[in-house]
Amino acid sequence: MSSEMETAGGGVEDAYGEDRATEEQLVTPWSFSVASGYTLLRDPRHNKGLAFTEAERDAHYLRGLLPPAMATQELQEKKMMHNLRQYTVPLQRYIAMMDLQERNERLFYKLLIDNVEELLPVVYTPVVGEACQKYGSIYRRPQGLYISLRDKGKVLEVLKNWPERSIQVIVVTDGERILGLGDLGCQGMGIPVGKLSLYTALGGVRPSACLPITIDVGTNNETLLNDEFYIGLRQKRATGQEYHELLEEFMTAVKQNYGEKVLTQFEDFANHNAFDLLAKYSKSHLVFNDDIQGTASVVLAGLLAALKVVGGTLADHTYLFLGAGEAGTGIADLIALEMSKHTESPIDECRKKIWLVDSKGLIVESRKESLQHFKQPWAHPHEPLRTLLEAVESIKPTVLIGTSGVGRTFTKEVVEAMASLNDRPVVFALSNPTSHSECTAEEAYAWSQGRAVFASGSPFDAVEHDGKVHVPGQSNNAYIFPGFGLGVVISGAIRVHDDMLLAASEALAEQVTEEHFAKGLIFPPFTNIRGISARIAAKVADKAYELGLASRLPRPDDLVKYAQSCMYTPTYRSYR
């Protein structure tokens, strides 16, 4: 097989060349045989609707099955955007986008790429949260694979039922901690589906190489258990040995079926499982936890960019977190790692600059015995403090980061205290969806007299304060994971190393320009996200080669160009 064939469409053989990003050639719409007529119009991967030409309509028996008019992809896009904007209810937009994905895959991705800032909140946070809550009611057609406790002993067979063989990225959830909405059981499927549509749109990983999976071990959500439309197992959530045996079987089957180089991304697992699963499988599998590592990487990028506004190095600042779960401890760990890398101090020394507050107050040494293992490294000598305000006044942080999942916890007093201690207080209110944000952009700017360097997890509109317009940054994981995943795929990496996450953060921070800073932005706009992802992918791949973790040899000379050439493009193909 030629090396050219190997690199097509993101590094997996693409026998019909239909996902080749860099060239336009005639392709035959294959599914299992040549797709024609009625079947072709119902195959989302090959359907082009009114964009079929006269010649294609003749060659593929489409005469009479379509109205006589012809429409370009651009015209179809214009019509779809016009229709989407008519909906006043965000969930209706979500449903319309999902319908389009099931009908015409290339048009769906073209729409998402060309209108990323407008449509990202629809297919991802915050609307995907509501979609998951109502997934049973809006469920139309299966997307992804459902693996439940009933499949124990047969997980490999279930994986083999998926029609695609060349899978590069799996996003899996067990639905226990969906965004800040809690246990949504089997209805958490909206999350892997949404994440993978971003892997394709923003990171250029082929849609056929993506597999969304939900592992259903039951739910403790009484509302769902009593809902006649609930689509999952009607039982309490399995824990302990029963749970871990199913996960073990799943991870083994993934490797058996798809090989060493498939990236498995854990998504929205509860804290007690997330850390254990990551620690357990990171040594034997190619795994990534977006809530722990992805969030950490994007927040670190925001901090590195914010330093250019505030001044000083990472080690010159003092950090205070509200929330000590997956996101909080994950971010804290990555900050300490980056600090340690640049100062060459031991990581334990660097951790002393970082303080965490959980539901019981400041995490201090006297609490060490009763803390979960992932909180223990953050227990420093200090008297116990109950409230966030006391912690701000005592520790005098320069950076305040919220990952608590509880809305309105950065009160006026807290933000004013930060502003009285710092000329440019850095305030990151990262909890999703918008209703759970620790404070709004408007509050952060008003309470700090417009001096805060602010970023949030969910999108906020620009705010005018004292005649100056502030554009709040969105610390959105979508900046990192698509590019990160692409970097892993194009290098053929076999493990994820922390240095690859640091490389992704640095690559993102480098792309914030003076022009962005002038508007108050500490993240680049999403409009150029595919270019950003290609650069992140190149840096991540470069690090994988440097660490000896890459298996795609020889190493391409220009990794940015190579990343771009591997990216899926959703323009229509011409059929012969």
Side-chain angles (χ1 to χ4, degrees), residues 221-253:
N221 185 325
E222 288 299 331
T223 314
L224 290 179
L225 290 172
N226 297 321
D227 178 358
E228 60 177 332
F229 300 131
Y230 180 56
I231 56 175
L233 290 178
R234 286 176 194 275
Q235 65 171 69
K236 288 283 184 206
R237 195 168 267 285
T239 55
Q241 190 180 350
E242 190 180 14
Y243 177 85
H244 285 288
E245 278 174 4
L246 183 65
L247 263 293
E248 175 71 32
E249 188 188 345
F250 166 69
M251 292 304 290
T252 308

Side-chain angles (χ1 to χ4, degrees), residues 424-439:
R424 297 298 306 270
V426 178
V427 178
F428 283 9
L430 302 177
S431 295
N432 286 320
T434 317
S435 57
H436 291 201
S437 188
E438 284 78 7
C439 68

Side-chain angles (χ1 to χ4, degrees), residues 82-191:
H82 171 76
N83 292 350
L84 283 171
R85 287 170 185 145
Q86 303 302 307
Y87 293 119
T88 48
V89 179
L91 189 63
Q92 291 175 324
R93 280 184 199 170
Y94 175 88
I95 293 168
M97 285 297 283
M98 292 304 109
D99 280 349
L100 178 62
Q101 192 175 12
E102 287 168 13
R103 196 170 67 242
N104 183 335
E105 191 176 83
R106 284 182 180 272
L107 186 57
F108 169 83
Y109 285 114
K110 183 112 173 63
L111 221 60
L112 195 46
I113 291 166
D114 292 349
N115 306 277
V116 63
E117 290 188 312
E118 187 173 345
L119 295 180
L120 194 61
V122 177
V123 299
Y124 189 48
T125 65
V127 184
V128 73
E130 188 188 352
C132 288
Q133 288 173 309
K134 298 174 181 168
Y135 212 75
S137 307
I138 63 174
Y139 176 83
R140 284 179 164 72
R141 186 185 283 190
Q143 293 174 293
L145 268 184
Y146 294 87
I147 294 172
S148 78
L149 286 169
R150 290 183 196 157
D151 304 316
K152 219 165 169 208
K154 296 182 291 206
V155 173
L156 184 60
E157 288 169 46
V158 175
L159 286 181
K160 287 184 185 299
N161 287 344
W162 188 251
E164 299 295 340
R165 287 286 163 262
S166 304
I167 299 297
Q168 294 171 325
V169 183
I170 290 171
V171 175
V172 61
T173 187
D174 69 354
E176 190 169 2
R177 194 197 63 86
I178 297 297
L179 302 172
L181 304 168
D183 188 346
L184 299 183
C186 196
Q187 301 195 161
M189 181 57 103
I191 296 290

